[in-house]
Structure formats: structure tokens, C-alpha cells
Amino acid sequence: MRLAVAGCCHGELDKIYETLALAERRGPGRIDILLCCGDFQAVRNEADLRCMAVPPKYRHMQTFYRYYSGEKKAPVLTIFIGGNHEASNHLQELPYGGWVAPNIYYLGLAGVVKYRGVRIGGISGIFKSHDYRKGHFECPPYNAATIRSIYHVRNIEVYKLKQLKQPMDIFLSHDWPRSIYHYGNKKQLLKTKSFFRQEVENNTLGSPAASELLEHLKPTYWFSAHLHVKFAALMQHQVIEVEHDPSAPDSLEYDAEWLTVLRATDDLINVTERLWNMPENNGLHTRWDYSATKEAINEVLERLNHDLKVPNNFSITAACYDPSKPQTQMQLVHRINPQTTEFCAQLGITDINVRLQKAKEDQHLCGDYEGLDDVEGNDSGEDPSEYNTDTSALSSINPDEIMLDEEEEYDDSIVSAHSDVNTPSVEPSSDQASDFSASFSDIRILPSSMTVSSDDTSGSPVCKEGNSGDPVEVGDGKDLTTVPLKRLSDEHEPEQRKKIKRRNQAIYAAVDDNDTA
């Protein structure tokens, strides 16, 4: 089975599908799935544009709305996660995942599905320590803080994913797992992006939450985005081949273990700004293990009549953009999506948006975003987490942080991290791991199959189809981990750091430097 992987899509679906068609003409066969690693931008109308955390001049309709309206249909099954530049009000309708258009499936805040026996998981958003332990409290209309905090990863999603025990084939995240740079061509990375040096040396580049998931899940492939670096040979058509079950149905399916975890953790959902920790075996919680038992999985299967096929129940929930009739004052509405209603009813869990609407009525939690002309200022206004997860400050200035408004085109770098579940892990040196804090487990070990020689003169191999030592080749034959990484998240930057416009702001200027990576 052939899979194409894209980084930040930014709504350019027409161009992406045209590129896939070209890859199919040049390649050995058709592409079965397109995986997108965030910044998908499922923008349906002008109201959705106002829910993107970018300044007004970067709000463009692009081409997704044509697939939403039915004018066009995705030629290949497309599965994506959310990033930090999304129509957040649209994706919020589907916290557990669902169709945003025919043949285009969103994995939700976190999710796992199967296609032809291949297990695909993902987590949406980027890591910011001060929001990590909060609930999913944001809802439209957003204010200047919640329009950013809504896409920040929460501990509940990481906790759910860590209950999984069955092998994971492919996993998607938007920002990079922290420490990944120690297992690739670090020398080349620092030669290309010298301003990463202090973060790399302090081991603070990337997401510690993603790093923890990488160690726990040990997927065969891990793909991330969040970068805007031009490596055309790797970016034009990122296609891999994976083993699949030829007897499995040719349709998207729910994952039984993941559904069982969702059902078990339903009572843990928090829709407030209250900081909280996930249950653990410390004597304070009556239950801390929410992993799926065989009995619980069977109960879920019975609820679904042993039919795990994801229903093709896409429905339009908001007016679609009409180029001939612009509606710049379209009202923002917090909607309940019938897909989510059906899913929750079938599984016996509560729609997060239903809880949010009740909380909004009771406590008026959601602020008003209407009337804001720009998105800037401090991130969420909250004090940092009591856990010291953000430990370094950049001492150098990014030479790419320049005004490049004329630069219109871009490519997104993608990395793949292969690991063998039967291979023992290797501990990074103590100075690399010294900044890991009590908010995460002490495990920050990445698989030995990702290690490289001490001189870092070559990239580590990424194994094809789970075979150790067999590199996946794409484009010009370079393996995936030779791709230079760009900063994922600057949650550790001091407030006094000079604000300078970044290269990728020429594409989508971020709300503040903290969320630009």
C-alpha cells in the first residue's frame, strides 16, 4: 500500500492533489492514502477565516471549501491532524474525529483509525506548557487568548494515547518530538540551522509530550510538520510503501482499542481552565490504569454490532464560501456536529461541545473574539505550569527572521522516525535529559534503531515496512531523517526576547513568536 505524506497543507488542496496525480503517473501505481501533518486549514467560509490564529492579511480561502461544498471530491482518502493555523471552530465540532468533506477525515484532538489493516494514530496541536494541564475550555466566539490556546496540546489526550498497548504502524504530530535531533544528522542540522544550537544542546527543541508518546507507542513511522524549509527533493512527493492486510476491507475503520480507551476515560474530560494532572499510581487515585481489557473491547464491539467501519456520514454544518457573494460579517456559532452526536451516542460517551455549551451557559466561560483586527500579544495570560518544562532561552538570533512578504511559495519538511518495539532503548546523556521535569515521566529514551555514529556524519536509517536497516528513499534517494528541523515551539523563550518577523511569517505570520516555529 502506497502512502503520501504532506507537511503543512495551508488549504492548498488543489495543488497537493495535482502533485499526487503527477507522482502516480511517474510511480509504480496509485496512492492509497494521503496523510497530512497539520495546518490543514479546513476553511469553509469567512467566519472560519476569523478563527485562524493569523493576522488578517494572511487569511485566505484557498481551495478546501470546494471539497466541502461538493464542487470537488478528494481523489484519494485523506487523513489529517490539526496544527496551529487551523479553522479551529470547524475542527472543534469533531473532537473525536470525523469527515470534514467527503473522503477527507480529521483524526480529532487525538485519534486512531485503521485502513486495510494499517493502524494510523495522531495528536493535533502544538505543545505549550502553561496550557498543557488545562481542560478543553475554549469555544467560539474566541477571544485573543483562546484563539491560540485552543490548539495547544492537553495532557488528557496524551494520557489517552498512553493507554494503548497494541502496535502502532504510523503516528502523526504537528510539532517534533523533543530529542529527535540526537538521533539524526545533527551535524548537518546545526550547519544548516545554526541558531538551533543552544536549544539542541539544552535538549529543549521540540515537544516533550510528543517525545513521551514516541517512547511509549514506538510506531513504525512517525511523521511531523510545523516547518517551512525548502527541500524540494523531499517535499514534492513524499511516498512510502507499507505492508497491509489484503483481506481487510477497503474502507476506513475505527480502532477498537482506541474506542475502548475513549469510553473508559470519558469521565476524565475537563472543560475548564483548571489545571490538573492525570491519574497515576501514587496513592491519590482509585484508578489510574485505563488501558483496554479484552472484556471492555468486546463490550465496545457489541455496542457497534461488530461493525468498525467509519460511516460516510459527512454533512454540511455551516454555509460554504461563495466567491460571488462574500459575507465578511458572517456570525460565529458554536455548533454541535451530527457526526459527533452519532459517534458519542453509539459509544456511550459525552460530546465535549455539549459539556462546553452547558458550561458556557452556567459560567460564561467563552470570551468574545469578534471585532479583533489582529492576533498578537501574550499567549494565554496564564502563569506557567508549576512543572519546569521550559528551561532554555535562545542566545542567538535566527538569521531567517527577516521580512520576506514577497516570498509566496514554500515547502514543508517531514521526518520519519522508525523504531523497533523489540529493540532496547538507549538513554541520552545526562546533560541532554537534565531538563526533563516531573510533569512527564522520566522516560525520554529514543529507540536504538534511530541512533547514529558519534560524528553525526550521516542521517540515521528509516526502515521501510518495518525491516531494520532498510532505508526509505524518496525524491532523490535521501532518507527522511536527513531533513533539517526547524524550531517547533518557543514556549521557553524569555518575554524580553526581541520580536523579529520570521521567514515563515511570510507565509503565515504567527500570533506571537511563541507559537511560530
Side-chain angles (χ1 to χ4, degrees):
M1 184 168 69
R2 303 185 74 216
L3 281 73
V5 184
C8 304
C9 299
H10 292 294
E12 296 279 14
L13 288 186
D14 283 355
K15 292 181 180 179
I16 291 173
Y17 292 137
E18 289 169 5
T19 301
L20 292 186
L22 177 62
E24 288 182 335
R25 291 194 295 270
R26 293 178 175 177
R30 76 181 185 93
I31 293 171
D32 298 278
I33 301 180
L34 168 65
L35 302 178
C36 301
C37 302
D39 284 0
F40 186 82
Q41 294 181 198
V43 177
R44 304 164 295 185
N45 52 42
E46 294 89 343
D48 287 359
L49 277 180
R50 301 201 306 276
C51 293
M52 284 175 52
V54 295
K57 67 177 180 177
Y58 295 104
R59 295 173 188 155
H60 305 294
M61 287 303 302
Q62 304 298 7
T63 57
F64 168 80
Y65 74 91
R66 296 190 175 109
Y67 299 84
Y68 178 78
S69 69
E71 175 186 342
K72 293 186 175 184
K73 182 178 179 179
V76 60
L77 173 62
T78 302
I79 299 174
F80 75 98
I81 57 168
N84 59 314
H85 298 310
E86 302 288 2
S88 295
N89 60 322
H90 185 191
L91 299 190
Q92 186 169 0
E93 296 179 16
L94 302 165
Y96 302 111
W99 303 103
V100 297
N103 222 27
I104 303 178
Y105 191 84
Y106 169 53
L107 277 177
L109 296 167
V112 184
V113 294
K114 284 185 177 179
Y115 182 74
R116 302 179 72 183
V118 177
R119 199 177 195 208
I120 303 169
I123 187 167
S124 295
I126 62 172
F127 175 82
K128 296 301 292 289
S129 63
H130 55 254
D131 287 326
Y132 183 68
R133 295 189 298 133
K134 294 179 181 178
H136 294 294
F137 66 93
E138 303 91 345
C139 62
Y142 306 113
N143 60 35
T146 59
I147 196 173
R148 295 186 292 274
S149 65
I150 188 171
Y151 55 73
H152 293 161
V153 171
R154 305 300 157 88
N155 58 357
I156 179 65
E157 309 307 331
V158 175
Y159 185 77
K160 291 175 186 176
L161 288 164
K162 288 186 66 178
Q163 305 304 309
L164 299 176
K165 302 292 178 63
Q166 298 174 11
M168 185 72 65
D169 296 306
I170 299 171
F171 196 83
L172 311 177
S173 68
H174 189 58
D175 47 4
W176 298 99
R178 184 169 291 182
S179 300
I180 197 69
Y181 32 84
H182 293 308
Y183 301 88
N185 193 338
K186 185 168 60 178
K187 183 177 180 179
Q188 180 62 37
L189 166 65
L190 295 180
K191 181 180 178 180
T192 306
K193 302 291 181 182
S194 59
F195 45 87
F196 286 168
R197 183 169 299 278
Q198 183 171 346
E199 288 175 289
V200 167
E201 291 176 351
N202 292 336
N203 206 37
T204 54
L205 178 66
S207 165
S211 178
E212 188 159 340
L213 285 174
L214 173 59
E215 170 56 27
H216 176 82
L217 296 172
K218 292 182 171 65
T220 305
Y221 296 95
W222 182 296
F223 297 105
S224 300
H226 205 28
L227 320 176
H228 291 172
V229 181
K230 292 193 174 184
F231 285 93
L234 293 176
M235 306 319 305
Q236 296 300 320
H237 38 268
Q238 190 70 271
V239 179
I240 63 173
E241 292 191 12
V242 297
E243 293 182 353
H244 68 282
D245 181 0
S247 65
D250 191 13
S251 59
L252 195 64
E253 294 183 299
Y254 292 122
D255 182 86
E257 185 188 20
W258 175 247
L259 296 185
T260 304
V261 170
L262 286 182
R263 182 170 163 79
T265 56
D266 185 53
D267 290 338
L268 297 180
I269 292 173
N270 173 19
V271 295
T272 74
E273 291 186 79
R274 176 174 56 88
L275 301 177
W276 68 326
N277 296 320
M278 291 296 100
E280 54 183 313
N281 187 8
N282 57 6
L284 300 177
H285 306 278
T286 57
R287 182 181 181 184
W288 57 88
D289 184 355
Y290 289 84
S291 57
T293 64
K294 183 180 295 186
E295 293 76 13
I297 291 177
N298 287 335
E299 183 179 341
V300 166
L301 289 174
E302 290 177 4
R303 292 187 68 94
L304 273 63
N305 295 319
H306 293 267
D307 181 8
L308 291 173
K309 180 180 178 181
V310 176
N312 292 317
N313 57 352
F314 167 74
S315 60
I316 291 179
T317 56
C320 188
Y321 172 68
D322 184 348
S324 65
K325 299 177 182 178
Q327 300 184 52
T328 57
Q329 300 303 316
M330 184 176 290
Q331 184 179 5
L332 280 172
V333 179
H334 183 200
R335 291 183 172 87
I336 302 298
N337 193 298
Q339 286 186 73
T340 306
T341 301
E342 180 181 341
F343 176 83
C344 291
Q346 195 171 20
L347 197 57
I349 61 177
T350 305
D351 184 351
I352 293 175
N353 288 296
V354 171
R355 294 190 184 184
L356 268 172
Q357 286 195 353
K358 186 176 187 306
K360 183 178 180 180
E361 294 169 0
D362 294 344
Q363 303 175 25
H364 306 288
L365 291 180
C366 302
D368 187 1
Y369 171 60
E370 293 299 307
L372 293 179
D373 293 328
D374 207 338
V375 183
E376 56 187 17
N378 292 332
D379 209 322
S380 69
E382 292 294 322
D383 292 330
S385 167
E386 64 184 77
Y387 298 118
N388 182 23
T389 56
D390 308 328
T391 57
S392 75
L394 295 179
S395 60
S396 59
I397 297 298
N398 183 340
D400 290 336
E401 293 176 346
I402 55 178
M403 194 72 168
L404 290 175
D405 286 340
E406 73 278 7
E407 183 174 303
E408 295 293 335
E409 298 180 355
Y410 62 94
D411 291 309
D412 298 301
S413 287
I414 303 166
V415 75
S416 172
H418 174 272
S419 60
D420 185 342
V421 295
N422 297 316
T423 304
S425 298
V426 175
E427 178 99 29
S429 61
S430 59
D431 61 324
Q432 294 169 354
S434 60
D435 68 310
F436 296 142
S437 71
S439 66
F440 302 95
S441 69
D442 289 335
I443 299 175
R444 281 299 178 283
I445 313 164
L446 293 184
S448 60
S449 59
M450 297 170 60
T451 60
V452 295
S453 60
S454 58
D455 60 0
D456 290 323
T457 56
S458 64
S460 58
V462 180
C463 297
K464 181 188 291 186
E465 300 181 4
N467 298 323
S468 178
D470 184 13
V472 173
E473 293 189 355
V474 292
D476 60 358
K478 299 178 183 178
D479 74 64
L480 301 181
T481 51
T482 61
V483 181
L485 310 182
K486 190 167 170 57
R487 179 163 56 253
L488 305 183
S489 132
D490 296 331
E491 73 274 1
H492 49 272
E493 291 189 39
E495 292 183 359
Q496 66 269 24
R497 179 172 180 247
K498 185 178 180 180
K499 305 289 184 180
I500 303 177
K501 213 154 219 182
R502 300 174 183 273
R503 178 182 296 277
N504 58 347
Q505 280 182 317
I507 299 144
Y508 276 105
V511 201
D512 54 28
D513 274 9
N514 286 337
D515 283 348
T516 307

